[in-house]
Amino acid sequence: MELELKPITLQGVDPTKPMIIAGPCSAETEEQVMCTAQELANKGIKIFRAGIWKPRTKPGGFEGIGAEGLQWMQQVKKETGMYVATEVATAKHVEAALEAGIDLLWVGARTSANPFAVQELADSLKGIDVPVLVKNPVNPDLELWIGAMERLNQAGITRLGAIHRGFSSYDKKIYRNLPQWHIPIELRRRIPTLPIMCDPSHIGGKRELIAPLCQQAMDLGFDGLIVESHCNPDKAWSDASQQVTPAVLDYILNLLVIRKEKQTTENLHELRSQIDECDNNLIEVLAKRMRVAREIGTYKKEHSMQILQTGRYNEILDKRGAQGALCGMDADFIKKVFEAIHEESVRQQMEIINK
Ligand code: PEP
Ligand code: MN
């Protein structure tokens, strides 16, 4: 299904610059909301975010202040002139948020993973023209993410955008949620006119990662950023470790290098043809490797050997991982590449053995 999209233009927000949304993870108290909003507005931020209803992994955490916080959002609008944004997860949230004049809604990662919940939101938004940003589902499933946006689009929401907030994983090393950049990049390829924002706060899970993630998002051509900012981050009632003060956020944003989307220099053209040549060579070498693998397959068949020789496989992974690291590549990356190559070799040998 093709999405019918209109740009999310907000009066007074420069459409030629990345869209920046900032504010605390949660609205906690009137004072916290107002002081954070005021400081952000003083730094030139035009769109304020705060969670009013918080989906928490376990009961007992701060589940959001609820409808009471909507008045503070109205006050933010009135006193700072900023647009205000919040997360909605149910039809009731939508109704209350719109009634309070919330300018921009977002669908959280736990909600976008649930088609029933998204459909309920879509139904409640029928006939209403409000910008809606859809966070990627917690699991790395691009179709589910696109499906959520299709549901909203079918309900008539055309000012749509996506938010990349990373993907849950058991294997938490650096990031709270793995970026898996190839997924938003594929989303861009599939729906080129859809604005995609990056949420470095939920990807990183810690303050130090906000700046590099913001830069990476800009280098990858993202359309904007949604960053958690709190007037007293260490005392935040939710997501304390990933929030930054408005002053730190301003510092980070000022250091961002925004590169022009398309370089017209001959240089880049030349470099690109070099890449094409490398890719060509890669394919040729891979094809040659597969031919050899098939010959090995024939040998194994003639000698009734098993296809999978674990010792040899481990040797390849270890040796090439170490070699790759010496050449300045991530050993895990090399391991993945060789795992994929090996899988295809095994598939081709199976074909020969079962012939
Ligand atoms: C949030 O933005 O505070 C939030 C709950 O994010 P996510 O849905 O990405 O976990
Ligand atoms: Mn949060």
Side-chain angles (χ1 to χ4, degrees), residues 266-313:
E266 278 304 297
N267 244 352
L268 199 60
H269 181 72
E270 220 168 78
L271 291 171
R272 286 209 170 119
S273 29
Q274 282 186 41
I275 291 276
D276 285 342
E277 197 187 322
C278 291
D279 288 349
N280 244 326
N281 292 340
L282 273 175
I283 299 278
E284 275 174 24
V285 171
L286 280 176
K288 181 170 173 199
R289 195 186 188 283
M290 292 303 158
R291 278 198 298 277
V292 178
R294 282 200 299 272
E295 269 182 51
I296 294 181
T298 309
Y299 182 91
K300 284 178 181 166
K301 183 175 184 176
E302 285 165 5
H303 293 80
S304 306
M305 286 168 71
Q306 288 181 355
I307 290 186
L308 195 61
Q309 306 279 322
T310 322
R312 169 72 179 142
Y313 179 41

Side-chain angles (χ1 to χ4, degrees), residues 52-53 67 69-71 73-74 77 84-107 120-133 152 155-157 159:
I52 298 286
W53 302 281
L70 291 169
Q71 298 160 34
M73 299 295 260
Q74 288 174 326
K77 264 178 93 151
V84 292
T86 200
E87 171 175 348
V88 287
T90 66
K92 269 203 172 131
H93 295 165
V94 170
E95 195 190 330
L98 293 176
E99 166 94 24
I102 301 291
D103 303 287
L104 199 149
L105 307 175
W106 83 80
V107 179
E120 177 188 320
L121 287 176
D123 293 343
S124 72
L125 282 162
K126 258 202 185 107
I128 291 156
D129 180 25
V130 62
V132 181
L133 302 176
L152 291 161
I157 297 294
R159 290 194 288 159

Side-chain angles (χ1 to χ4, degrees), residues 54-78:
K54 301 301 297 179
R56 304 314 299 272
T57 304
K58 289 190 177 149
F62 175 55
E63 300 201 312
I65 197 74
E68 183 188 345
L70 291 169
Q71 298 160 34
W72 310 334
M73 299 295 260
Q74 288 174 326
Q75 207 180 325
V76 168
K77 264 178 93 151
K78 208 162 84 200

Side-chain angles (χ1 to χ4, degrees), residues 158-171:
T158 51
R159 290 194 288 159
L160 263 182
I163 300 175
H164 170 230
R165 50 78 77 196
F167 302 89
S168 278
S169 153
Y170 234 59
D171 185 23

